[in-house]
């Protein structure tokens, strides 16, 4: 079996809140996945999948309790690739 998937998610983090998001991962807005399964026997299936999260960036000013500091900018950029593999054994 072959499968392909695409996910789109709006980034809920606004530019004005970027300063508070620097230490955490960005939300991946566009994700593409492909995978396959192979049945070795009636009760044993191997699964493998590749997923790519396309590069996403968010920028905003540095904000203090008194408000944003003019001329400052914080940018976070991220992307991701991963492979997942496993076996399903049914008894």
């Amino acid at each position: 079996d072959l499968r392909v998937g695409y996910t789109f998610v709006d980034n809920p983090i606004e530019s004005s809140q970027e300063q508070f998001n620097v230490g955490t991962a960005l939300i991946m807005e566009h994700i593409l996945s492909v995978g396959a399964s192979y049945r070795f026997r009636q009760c044993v299936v191997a699964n493998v999948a590749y997923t790519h999260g396309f590069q996403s960036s968010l920028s905003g000013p540095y904000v203090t309790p008194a408000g944003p500091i003019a001329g400052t900018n914080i940018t976070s950029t991220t992307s991701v690739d991963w492979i997942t593999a496993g076996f399903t054994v049914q008894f």
Side-chain angles (χ1 to χ4, degrees):
D1 296 335
L2 298 175
R3 54 197 166 274
V4 175
Y6 172 78
T7 303
F8 172 77
V9 178
D10 274 330
N11 191 337
I13 302 165
E14 298 177 17
S15 294
S16 62
Q17 300 299 310
E18 174 54 20
Q19 141 186 354
F20 304 108
N21 191 52
V22 171
T24 62
L26 288 173
I27 302 297
M28 291 285 142
E29 292 182 319
H30 301 277
I31 301 169
L32 180 65
S33 300
V34 295
S37 298
Y38 179 78
R39 184 173 299 278
F40 288 101
R41 295 184 181 170
Q42 184 64 23
C43 62
V44 180
V45 179
N47 303 287
V48 66
Y50 167 75
T51 301
H52 175 73
F54 291 89
Q55 184 171 309
S56 180
S57 295
L58 185 65
S59 296
Y62 185 79
V63 180
T64 70
I69 299 176
T72 62
N73 186 52
I74 296 173
T75 300
S76 294
T77 302
T78 190
S79 64
V80 68
D81 292 286
W82 73 88
I83 295 174
T84 305
F87 286 94
T88 302
V89 179
Q90 299 173 332
F91 294 98

